[in-house]
Amino acid sequence: EGGGYRVRETPQPEAVAVHEPDGEALRACATTLEEAGWQVGEYTEPRTRARYLLASPRRV
């Protein structure tokens, strides 16, 4: 229990950080967000070295 994606606010308006320990699941989430029209980048948390996504709605 307790698994799955964690979505957190970021200092950037409208952007969210998506955390998921499973790299394959994280990439699948990125693909889904991109297909839904979001702009997505994958980053590494400096302290923990954990990978996460930074996602925001695309500007029209």
Side-chain angles (χ1 to χ4, degrees):
E1 194 69 42
Y5 302 104
R6 291 189 328 273
V7 179
R8 301 214 168 115
E9 290 182 20
T10 68
Q12 301 174 32
E14 299 183 5
V16 295
V18 181
H19 298 263
E20 163 59 61
D22 180 341
E24 195 172 310
L26 193 64
R27 283 186 289 282
C29 180
T31 299
T32 300
L33 286 168
E34 287 168 349
E35 289 172 353
W38 286 63
Q39 189 169 331
V40 181
E42 191 171 332
Y43 299 91
T44 301
E45 219 294 324
R47 291 187 312 274
T48 64
R49 308 301 300 158
R51 301 292 289 166
Y52 69 96
L53 303 176
L54 188 61
S56 61
R58 282 196 196 281
R59 303 262 180 241
V60 181

